[in-house]
Amino acid sequence: MEVGGYEHVVVLQNIKVVDGDLVETLKKIPRGTLPGDFLDAIVVGMDMLIKKYSSTNKGKKRLCLITNGLSPIKDPYEGSKEDQVNAIAQQMTSHGMKLESVVVRESVVLDENVSVMEENDRILNLFPKRTCAKMVFVESSTSLLGALKTRSISPVTIFRGDLEISPKLKIKVWVYKKTSEEKFPTLKKYSDKAPSTDKFASHEVKVDFEYKSVEDANKVVPPEQRIKGYQYGPQVVPISADEWDAVKFKPEKSVKVLGFTDSSNIMRHHYMKDVNIFIADPGDQNAILAVSALARAMKEMHKVAILRCVWRQGQGNVVVGALTPNVSDNDHVPDSFYFNVLPFAEDVREFQFPSFSNLPASLLPDEEQQEAADNFVKMLDLAPSDKEEMLQPDFTPNPVLERFYNYLELKSKHPDAAVPPLDKTLKRITEPDPELLAKKKSAIDSLLRHFEVKQNPKLKKSMKRMREKPSGSDEEDNYRRITSKNKVDLIENGVKVEKIGDLTPVQDFELMMSRRDNPEWINRAITEMKNKIHDLIEDSIEGDNYPKALDLLVALRKGCILEQEPKQFNDFLHQLCKFCLEHDLRSFCDFLASKGITLISKTEAVDSDVTEEEARNYLVKREAKPE
Amino acid sequence: MELDPDDVFRDDDDDPENEALRQRASSKELVVYLVDASPKMFSTKCPSEDQKDESHFQISISCILESWKTQIINRSYNEVAVCFFNTREKKNLQDLNSVFVFNVADREFLDRPTAKFIKELSRLEEFFVKEIGSQHGIVSGSRENSLYNALWVAQALLRKGSAKTADKRILIFTDEDDPFGNIKGGAKADMTRTTLQRVKDAQDLGISIELLPLSQLDREFNVSLFYADLIGLQGEDLAQFVPAAGERMEDMKYQLRKRMFKKRIVRKLTFSVANGVSIEVHTYAFIRPTVLGSITWLDSVTNQPIKIERSFICADTGALMQEPPKHFQTYKNQNVKFSVEELSEIKRVSTGQLRLLGFKPLSCLKDYHNLRPSTFIFPSDEEVIGSTRIFIALHRSMIRLNRFAVAFYGTSSHSQLVALVAQEEIIDSGGQVEPPGMHMICLPYSDDIRHAEELHSGTNAAIPRANEDQIKKAAALIKRIDLKDFSVYQFANPGLQRHYAILQALALEEDDLPEIKDETVPDEEGLARPGVVKAIEEFKLSVYGDKYDESDNAGHKKVSEASKKRKALADGAVQKSAQYNWDALADSGKLKDLTVVELKFYLSAHDLPVSGKKEDLVKRILTHMGK
């Protein structure tokens, strides 16, 4: 649907609650053929939001612009581009809309594009100055993934009240969480007890806890009859909750400054927990000023404030932590403080370690080695001055969560799908960037040349743990992992299949494909299967092996869909048909066509470049051709 | 302990249970306290803190008691025995004169201290004269040597346990610096010789012997008379000994109640540096929040421990079932099922090692890049020779270049992007303050970072910023309230200390609770100093003008406005509510025919919560009417 007046802008989907269809629609997003004007796109998006919600839902309406910002934008009919931005920004402000622009630039922009890019960046940058907008640049698909939030959480204050510098000076502040670990979702336990005919079965499992006397297993103790016992020496002392409440430590709710100290007195590794943020009460202009003045002074003087916090009344403990300044460079965002919890004396364990300088010379690097290390540290730079900082926490998604959600989507369509290997984009988080390694090969090689590592020969074989050992290439690596894993698996699950035999090839293949200890098994399984099929057809007399070959082919096809390896299957089928035609085995192609074997289409596996129609017609066409 | 229903998915990292378990295996101390009970120990009085005179004997006993109480809290597995010498009665396995081993029922002579044991010892005075009695054991003319006997008994007690796993000690408390002073001639030399021989035999068995001398007011304990030989003091140590021993007594009494941790390796890791070269590192938990001791649930009637039994019940059929092997997540209106294996496969994104990804300048590590306590890393050549050398070279380079390393740390169940920050060794007069090595800091993912500061970013006006003068005033204030030598180790956790104190008081049935000083409260006195007050007033004037008090009240006014509104609403509701005959409606069961708005009239008028579904509202009204 093209929108009137705004050329090359297509509304793919009107606003609705996200569902499976929308995901599908997005997957088939058409590739545009012409450069677009992102200002037009913003206007269209804004219009959609206004039409649907007019001025309600203030502050909850959000436009997210994803662009490479490399196509020139048109000059408006009247006024300048700036005026246009101003007008749009004003509209957004009045409707309480937020704009988030993600500018994706994977490679360096060259020549004539540079001026367009600079102009576009300037225009986009106007938005944060004029309205509630945010703009981020990402240079890799990994960062793009991180820039888009999977789950948004409406923030809740953990404290509202006074930041007390002295009894005479109290600043009104609100405290929020700045970081908080996003946990792996808790799944419900599944019960298969309900009959399959029951469409309304919840399939949920209730977990019941029962308390029983250790001595007499038949004696059930009601929950309210329980009492907590605390270890005192070898004894256990029963103390009821009421008893505790009467005497326990009950500090008053308050947040007090104990004093300021040099930031060098606080080590980075003393930070204990997730981080809080202190913001001045947004309704109190003076408090905003007071926080701003303190934050800026602390930053200039390299000071931190030490705080004693009791967030809630009735909290059984106090928290001592360091308040560090967070000076904002965006005019719309107030200055604030980060708060990190520090350890108490009881929390610090004083372990002693040998000084490096006291170690024997054989363990210390010499000058050349040190130089190689220096060079290595310098070269393996993740934050080069001319590029985006790689793996910035703000733009790095949690690979496990991403993988879970991808798998959830896959499983919703193919309930039996196995866990696919880690996506390439996510591998950039868990493994070093091969591009960076290749680019800085000389520094790495030099490091490796200067240092020698080897297994301690004195250790007995049995003492060595089964885990990856240094040295060797990636491939060797994989192999070793496969073999060492084998031993574990043998113990855990009995025999693991490593080859496709003649007796139960389909089962062997499936078992191999489902091996999760190494992604290499999949390739190995597919290759072996292909060879098996090939051999069967070649050895076939008057088509006696055809049904068997068909079984294998069907299994292979299913496996390739599950593992998202459509190309492997499609290429193989092409190759197989070609082989058959060349060797006068056309009957096999006909056989396959009659049994409805097709190529793997896009709908079955995303990575396939074959449409459904093409897939269906493939063997039919073959059939028609020679006639 | 409460059972975690999601046990399967628990992060195995830093498991406190596990830690405690491993600790138990580590070495413990076996200590025999030899307390001189000669009449002299009772006759000398020393002024104590609370102005009452205490005898040397009382001082020794209270010192031992305090030390044990601390040990119990520290959950040490130390075993102790207390043994008096120069007593009238005798009680020991060897049946030697003048030696009395103190004990209570159900306890071996050398065993872990129990509450009962501590209590009995603390009321020793009540029965000492009657049951034990004080009497010089070394008198001229007899060949008895009570010190010799005591050492012999102690040594026999310490036969328990092997010298390899236990640290064996004898502590002697006495104020007699010349035990054989009243013996003349050859007998004295003989006694001295046999006693020293006894000591030497004990030392040969791996027992260390320590002396805690108690000086008279007018005369210092003269170590050189006899004990220097016994404990092997020479030269400079000799002069230092008595004052140092005094400090040790104090230390024993006033040790922090804190669980002691043996240095132990949390994990041995493979740290892959580049291109398949991996080194070996060990991780240590340096800073971890101290948790209250583990809880045992008891039956409050019998005080017997209870166990928790978990059962799974199918929500659809009510059938009892085994732990279900599958979990599910509702997605796109369908239940997507996952097996436990699939879930753990999703989480396995790395092969349980630390992979170096690159380096960044320290300025890229922001204050909010934190989630949990850091872990310390130290290299080891135990399995991979050459590890320490590479580690030190990288460590030095990182410090020199002000960089930290970014790495991916993954175990099978949990994985995380981490920052490795090199820490240089810091030594002060008291020893190593910070050991050399790297601290592994958990970096948040974009999923974990929240942007609360942008929440209130005004869409209209720019946020106010402090001006130069305000910043200057803030700086002056910061300078005034300076904590010069702040160290994170300086505060004890008041909540924890109080918990321990209460536990001890209840376990020992002590009448009054010991006062615990909260060290974390601000220094009110210091804040009232004129210089500080002046700086505060100037800052207030600069930021708030003369409106500080008003702005302080502004908050209250706002609250009162809100409450006014609420009051007005309630008033309206009372009026409207009066138009209904609630009793009749309730009796005729017609409440459910009213609209939610109408129901809320009643609720607001009676100050009841108005949340929930219609059913809940009706139920609430009925409950309130008492029907």
Side-chain angles (χ1 to χ4, degrees):
Chain A
M1 170 171 52
E2 191 125 332
V3 182
Y6 296 101
E7 285 179 320
H8 318 314
V9 179
V10 174
V11 175
L12 191 66
Q13 174 68 59
N14 268 311
I15 299 179
K16 68 166 185 172
V17 177
V18 180
D19 60 9
D21 296 341
L22 186 56
V23 175
E24 288 310 310
T25 316
L26 202 60
K27 272 187 187 155
K28 283 179 243 153
I29 196 163
R31 194 192 171 94
T33 47
L34 289 160
D37 180 331
F38 61 77
L39 276 186
D40 281 357
I42 291 176
V43 173
V44 171
M46 198 165 70
D47 187 56
M48 287 166 74
L49 279 173
I50 294 173
K51 273 199 185 124
K52 177 120 190 188
Y53 300 105
S54 70
S55 60
T56 60
N57 287 309
K58 271 213 168 76
K60 287 185 195 160
K61 283 174 283 190
R62 197 160 63 103
L63 277 173
C64 182
L65 174 73
I66 302 176
T67 178
N68 62 2
L70 288 182
S71 319
I73 52 170
K74 303 182 294 284
D75 280 316
Y77 297 118
E78 49 190 279
S80 62
K81 288 175 186 167
E82 284 80 2
D83 296 336
Q84 207 185 347
V85 169
N86 282 344
I88 297 172
Q90 210 181 354
Q91 275 274 7
M92 282 185 169
T93 309
S94 66
H95 283 93
M97 242 178 246
K98 293 182 181 174
L99 174 70
E100 242 169 70
S101 319
V102 183
V103 182
V104 190
R105 299 246 166 77
E106 272 197 87
S107 50
V108 182
V109 178
L110 296 169
D111 316 332
E112 65 264 41
N113 281 336
V114 172
S115 62
V116 176
M117 174 182 84
E118 282 171 355
E119 166 76 358
N120 283 341
D121 289 356
R122 191 181 62 81
I123 296 286
L124 270 176
N125 252 321
L126 288 174
F127 280 102
K129 296 199 180 78
R130 304 275 188 277
T131 183
C132 189
K134 194 169 145 185
M135 179 172 163
V136 293
F137 287 92
V138 298
E139 284 182 11
S140 64
S141 46
T142 313
S143 317
L144 176 60
L145 214 48
L148 304 167
K149 287 261 150 67
T150 320
R151 200 166 82 96
S152 72
I153 296 139
S154 55
V156 182
T157 51
I158 53 173
F159 173 84
R160 289 186 194 200
D162 293 329
L163 169 62
E164 186 179 325
I165 292 171
S166 96
K168 293 213 169 69
L169 176 56
K170 299 173 181 180
I171 303 171
K172 295 242 171 286
V173 292
W174 290 9
V175 182
Y176 290 95
K177 287 245 177 231
K178 176 64 190 172
T179 61
S180 173
E181 195 174 336
E182 180 79 1
K183 293 266 165 49
F184 194 85
T186 311
L187 307 187
K188 291 181 192 137
K189 293 185 171 59
Y190 184 82
S191 157
D192 52 5
K193 292 275 183 279
S196 53
T197 47
D198 183 358
K199 288 221 171 62
F200 300 102
S202 69
H203 294 290
E204 285 179 25
V205 175
K206 271 201 314 209
V207 183
D208 254 25
F209 293 100
E210 236 178 6
Y211 305 95
K212 288 182 178 170
S213 162
V214 171
E215 283 172 359
D216 181 6
N218 295 321
K219 197 179 150 205
V220 177
V221 181
E224 62 280 2
Q225 199 184 308
R226 293 177 308 153
I227 187 169
K228 278 179 182 174
Y230 295 82
Q231 196 85 28
Y232 189 80
Q235 290 147 293
V236 177
V237 185
I239 303 172
S240 73
D242 295 341
E243 256 176 298
W244 269 129
D245 284 340
V247 287
K248 75 171 190 200
F249 184 58
K250 277 170 274 182
E252 285 292 307
K253 174 184 171 179
S254 65
V255 172
K256 293 180 178 177
V257 173
L258 300 182
F260 298 87
T261 191
D262 289 334
S263 54
S264 58
N265 280 341
I266 310 291
M267 305 275 182
R268 188 59 176 73
H269 61 263
H270 288 150
Y271 293 180
M272 292 280 280
K273 286 177 73 180
D274 39 18
V275 186
N276 293 335
I277 185 163
F278 276 58
I279 302 166
D281 180 341
D284 186 341
Q285 297 290 312
N286 288 326
I288 298 176
L289 275 181
V291 167
S292 170
L294 279 173
R296 281 163 195 258
M298 278 159 69
K299 192 181 176 191
E300 250 169 53
M301 300 164 73
H302 301 288
K303 293 277 185 185
V304 302
I306 304 300
L307 255 57
R308 171 197 197 264
C309 307
V310 182
W311 307 119
R312 282 164 300 153
Q313 193 62 42
Q315 178 178 321
N317 213 342
V318 298
V319 175
V320 169
L323 202 64
T324 49
N326 173 34
V327 171
S328 158
D329 47 13
N330 181 328
D331 284 343
H332 289 272
V333 178
D335 291 336
S336 53
F337 295 111
Y338 293 128
F339 176 78
N340 271 291
V341 177
L342 295 176
F344 283 112
E346 292 93 334
D347 305 335
V348 181
R349 305 167 193 178
E350 285 159 51
F351 303 154
Q352 302 287 308
F353 286 87
S355 299
F356 284 163
S357 46
N358 291 346
L359 293 175
S362 65
L363 292 176
L364 294 175
D366 60 28
E367 239 169 80
E368 270 178 45
Q369 288 173 324
Q370 191 59 56
E371 204 176 303
D374 279 359
N375 198 35
F376 175 73
V377 172
K378 251 186 257 172
M379 296 317 268
L380 219 64
D381 191 358
L382 294 176
S385 49
D386 56 336
K387 282 189 82 179
E388 179 206 30
E389 177 190 335
M390 278 183 260
L391 295 174
Q392 214 178 320
D394 296 72
F395 299 119
T396 308
N398 182 340
V400 173
L401 289 181
E402 289 293 329
R403 194 183 197 191
F404 171 72
Y405 290 120
N406 288 338
Y407 186 46
L408 181 64
E409 166 70 17
L410 176 66
K411 265 213 153 190
S412 73
K413 291 194 203 125
H414 309 284
D416 297 326
V419 186
L422 198 63
D423 187 84
K424 221 200 293 165
T425 314
L426 299 175
K427 271 214 172 118
R428 285 294 79 77
I429 302 164
T430 64
E431 284 171 26
D433 181 4
E435 209 177 296
L436 182 72
L437 292 185
K439 230 191 272 174
K440 313 290 176 181
K441 196 168 177 305
S442 65
I444 297 166
D445 288 347
S446 148
L447 181 86
L448 301 186
R449 232 187 0 263
H450 279 95
F451 290 94
E452 191 197 4
V453 289
K454 59 169 191 278
Q455 287 298 309
N456 189 350
K458 282 183 206 139
L459 274 181
K460 282 193 207 108
K461 273 254 155 61
S462 60
M463 294 243 320
K464 289 181 190 169
R465 257 173 300 279
M466 275 196 290
R467 72 179 136 93
E468 201 184 355
K469 297 296 177 201
S471 95
S473 67
D474 244 10
E475 230 158 84
E476 249 181 275
D477 233 51
N478 281 337
Y479 184 70
R480 195 168 29 244
R481 248 180 284 153
I482 289 178
T483 46
S484 69
K485 274 282 181 190
N486 266 347
K487 291 173 202 149
V488 181
D489 289 335
L490 278 172
I491 299 156
E492 283 173 1
N493 308 333
V495 185
K496 275 269 178 182
V497 182
E498 291 190 61
K499 247 184 94 60
I500 296 180
D502 287 318
L503 282 173
T504 53
V506 172
Q507 283 87 326
D508 291 355
F509 171 72
E510 276 170 0
L511 281 170
M512 249 171 112
M513 290 291 273
S514 61
R515 284 190 70 155
R516 290 284 148 233
D517 45 357
N518 192 300
E520 261 324 291
W521 286 116
I522 292 171
N523 278 329
R524 223 189 258 188
I526 293 177
T527 313
E528 286 213 49
M529 197 64 163
K530 284 177 184 170
N531 293 339
K532 269 256 130 57
I533 298 171
H534 223 280
D535 293 346
L536 276 173
I537 301 169
E538 225 174 4
D539 298 338
S540 150
I541 301 157
E542 290 182 357
D544 59 350
N545 280 341
Y546 284 0
K548 203 167 179 188
L550 176 76
D551 287 347
L552 298 196
L553 200 62
V554 169
L556 179 65
R557 189 173 189 282
K558 191 170 144 209
C560 284
I561 293 172
L562 286 180
E563 294 303 333
Q564 295 288 301
E565 298 276 6
K567 200 167 154 32
Q568 292 243 36
F569 178 82
N570 290 349
D571 288 353
F572 176 64
L573 194 62
H574 282 296
Q575 199 190 320
L576 196 67
C577 285
K578 199 166 153 228
F579 174 82
C580 289
L581 293 175
E582 279 167 11
H583 292 82
D584 209 14
L585 287 162
R586 228 192 70 204
S587 52
F588 183 65
C589 290
D590 299 345
F591 178 71
L592 289 184
S594 69
K595 297 290 175 196
I597 290 285
T598 66
L599 292 172
I600 296 175
S601 74
K602 231 186 171 67
T603 39
E604 289 170 278
V606 194
D607 290 346
S608 167
D609 40 24
V610 180
T611 67
E612 218 170 328
E613 207 180 4
E614 270 172 49
R616 223 176 310 119
N617 293 338
Y618 177 68
L619 283 165
V620 185
K621 236 189 301 174
R622 288 273 161 196
E623 209 180 350
K625 207 175 162 189
E627 289 176 14
Chain B
M1 199 194 99
E2 204 80 80
L3 259 191
D4 178 6
D6 272 308
D7 226 12
V8 206
F9 304 113
R10 212 175 45 188
D11 177 4
D12 69 350
D13 211 20
D14 306 325
D15 187 340
E17 292 295 309
N18 207 353
E19 212 161 297
L21 212 74
R22 278 187 235 185
Q23 248 178 284
R24 209 161 299 172
S26 65
S27 78
K28 57 183 177 185
E29 279 186 352
L30 305 178
V31 188
V32 176
Y33 295 81
L34 286 184
V35 183
D36 190 348
S38 69
K40 199 172 156 197
M41 286 288 282
F42 292 89
S43 58
T44 347
K45 300 282 181 188
C46 295
S48 73
E49 282 162 50
D50 43 5
Q51 306 305 319
K52 265 190 285 176
D53 282 352
E54 265 188 315
S55 70
H56 278 155
F57 189 76
Q58 282 168 322
I59 293 174
S60 307
I61 296 298
S62 69
C63 173
I64 292 169
L65 284 171
E66 284 307 315
S67 148
W68 285 353
K69 288 177 188 172
T70 313
Q71 280 184 25
I72 284 197
I73 295 296
N74 296 350
R75 292 203 237 156
S76 77
Y77 287 83
N78 294 357
E79 292 182 14
V80 299
V82 67
C83 170
F84 303 113
F85 62 102
N86 291 327
T87 53
R88 190 185 67 232
E89 307 297 322
K90 62 179 175 183
K91 182 177 159 198
N92 57 71
L93 292 174
Q94 289 80 6
D95 206 31
L96 294 168
N97 281 331
S98 299
V99 179
F100 191 97
V101 181
F102 177 80
N103 203 7
V104 293
D106 307 329
R107 190 182 172 277
E108 285 180 51
F109 279 165
L110 183 72
D111 208 342
R112 291 171 62 191
T114 64
K116 192 173 173 198
F117 188 53
I118 290 179
K119 251 177 75 187
E120 281 301 299
L121 187 61
S122 63
R123 43 177 286 268
L124 180 69
E125 259 170 83
E126 295 168 25
F127 56 84
F128 183 82
V129 176
K130 194 170 143 244
E131 290 174 23
I132 302 170
S134 167
Q135 186 181 314
H136 276 296
I138 302 164
V139 280
S140 57
S142 95
R143 312 204 68 206
E144 280 298 326
N145 181 346
S146 55
L147 181 61
Y148 176 91
N149 288 352
L151 286 165
W152 189 358
V153 169
Q155 188 191 323
L157 287 171
L158 289 171
R159 250 181 231 144
K160 190 178 174 183
S162 103
K164 270 181 205 152
T165 57
D167 198 4
K168 299 181 179 181
R169 296 196 296 155
I170 297 173
L171 293 184
I172 307 172
F173 291 79
T174 183
D175 60 355
E176 179 56 78
D177 50 10
D178 191 10
F180 310 117
N182 54 356
I183 312 284
K184 295 278 168 311
K188 175 174 179 177
D190 203 38
M191 278 186 158
T192 310
R193 191 182 51 77
T194 49
T195 310
L196 291 181
Q197 185 55 45
R198 180 91 258 159
V199 167
K200 205 180 158 294
D201 289 350
Q203 282 164 339
D204 288 346
L205 290 168
I207 298 169
S208 66
I209 296 179
E210 289 163 51
L211 173 70
L212 287 153
L214 296 135
S215 298
Q216 313 284 346
L217 273 182
D218 48 348
R219 202 174 61 84
E220 199 174 72
F221 192 96
N222 188 350
V223 201
S224 47
L225 283 177
F226 170 75
Y227 280 100
D229 289 337
L230 188 139
I231 51 177
L233 279 183
Q234 278 174 338
E236 223 176 276
D237 292 343
L238 202 64
Q240 291 288 320
F241 181 75
V242 174
E247 271 173 42
R248 280 200 48 211
M249 286 271 266
E250 287 296 296
D251 276 0
M252 271 175 79
K253 260 177 112 162
Y254 298 108
Q255 244 180 40
L256 184 63
R257 290 197 177 84
K258 146 176 183 184
R259 255 179 91 184
M260 301 306 264
F261 287 92
K262 284 266 185 244
K263 175 167 137 186
R264 70 166 187 83
I265 299 161
V266 177
R267 267 213 175 94
K268 297 188 178 184
L269 287 182
T270 310
F271 178 24
S272 119
V273 179
N275 287 11
V277 170
S278 302
I279 62 170
E280 183 191 0
V281 292
H282 294 174
T283 62
Y284 301 85
F286 237 42
I287 298 180
R288 287 291 179 273
T290 309
V291 286
L292 301 176
S294 64
I295 296 168
T296 320
W297 282 103
L298 304 174
D299 179 345
S300 61
V301 177
T302 61
N303 276 349
Q304 288 303 312
I306 49 182
K307 61 182 176 189
I308 302 166
E309 264 180 25
R310 191 162 63 151
S311 52
F312 301 96
I313 295 161
C314 171
D316 299 318
T317 61
L320 205 65
M321 53 191 287
Q322 291 294 307
E323 160 121 44
K326 291 214 174 206
H327 293 73
F328 73 100
Q329 168 94 13
T330 312
Y331 178 68
K332 297 198 292 199
N333 289 327
Q334 57 172 317
N335 291 338
V336 180
K337 283 171 269 174
F338 295 91
S339 65
V340 175
E341 293 78 39
E342 280 166 342
L343 289 172
S344 61
E345 174 59 26
I346 295 173
K347 291 179 188 173
R348 193 182 306 135
V349 289
S350 168
T351 47
Q353 54 167 338
L354 192 61
R355 260 177 203 270
L356 179 69
L357 303 177
F359 300 89
K360 287 183 188 179
L362 278 172
S363 59
C364 288
L365 186 63
K366 307 288 187 218
D367 279 326
Y368 65 90
H369 291 164
N370 209 68
L371 285 174
R372 38 172 99 187
S374 59
T375 299
F376 184 71
I377 299 184
F378 200 80
S380 160
D381 272 21
E382 195 181 296
E383 286 179 34
V384 183
I385 295 174
S387 298
T388 309
R389 192 185 282 221
I390 295 193
F391 187 90
I392 294 177
L394 290 176
H395 180 264
R396 288 182 174 165
S397 303
M398 282 157 68
I399 287 177
R400 193 174 313 164
L401 297 164
N402 277 319
R403 275 160 197 265
F404 69 94
V406 178
F408 191 78
Y409 170 54
T411 64
S412 58
S413 61
H414 186 85
S415 56
Q416 195 76 47
L417 203 59
V418 296
L420 303 177
V421 180
Q423 174 64 50
E424 223 166 349
E425 183 176 27
I426 299 178
I427 299 175
D428 75 358
S429 55
Q432 197 175 46
V433 182
E434 290 291 340
M438 295 191 198
H439 288 280
M440 183 161 91
I441 290 160
C442 252
L443 295 174
Y445 291 115
S446 62
D447 316 61
D448 309 326
I449 299 174
R450 301 177 182 182
H451 297 277
E453 68 274 24
E454 289 165 14
L455 204 65
H456 305 286
S457 59
T459 35
N460 354 329
I463 295 287
R465 290 266 188 261
N467 61 32
E468 281 306 312
D469 177 62
Q470 290 162 338
I471 297 175
K472 229 171 74 196
K473 292 288 173 359
L477 175 70
I478 291 168
K479 243 181 239 149
R480 279 286 173 186
I481 318 179
D482 194 45
L483 302 171
K484 244 211 181 88
D485 301 308
F486 178 81
S487 141
V488 294
Y489 311 110
Q490 76 185 42
F491 298 124
N493 183 344
L496 204 62
Q497 292 299 319
R498 175 128 185 133
H499 174 95
Y500 291 152
I502 294 169
L503 180 57
Q504 176 184 315
L506 292 172
L508 300 178
E509 293 162 33
E510 286 170 3
D511 290 330
D512 31 41
L513 290 177
E515 262 319 296
I516 293 295
K517 192 170 163 270
D518 184 354
E519 299 160 331
T520 65
V521 290
D523 170 18
E524 304 260 333
E525 224 170 276
L527 287 171
R529 275 199 307 267
V532 179
V533 172
K534 187 163 163 266
I536 288 174
E537 288 309 322
E538 279 178 7
F539 175 74
K540 264 158 72 173
L541 190 67
S542 172
V543 172
Y544 291 84
D546 49 5
K547 297 199 181 82
Y548 174 76
D549 294 319
E550 280 172 43
S551 112
D552 194 31
N553 293 333
H556 297 295
K557 225 180 267 166
K558 237 187 242 160
V559 172
S560 66
E561 244 162 61
S563 67
K564 245 185 236 162
K565 208 171 159 192
R566 213 174 300 138
K567 196 157 180 286
L569 267 175
D571 287 345
V574 170
Q575 281 176 14
K576 285 188 179 126
S577 161
Q579 296 166 9
Y580 298 83
N581 185 350
W582 295 102
D583 272 320
L585 285 166
D587 289 337
S588 58
K590 279 187 178 154
L591 275 182
K592 61 180 194 316
D593 299 336
L594 297 181
T595 65
V596 169
V597 178
E598 287 172 310
L599 292 173
K600 281 185 181 169
F601 289 151
Y602 181 91
L603 293 169
S604 320
H606 292 90
D607 237 358
L608 297 169
V610 293
S611 58
K613 288 182 186 163
K614 188 170 180 178
E615 272 171 61
D616 302 332
L617 301 187
V618 172
K619 220 180 275 167
R620 206 172 292 143
I621 291 174
L622 290 175
T623 325
H624 184 254
M625 295 168 93
K627 291 188 173 166

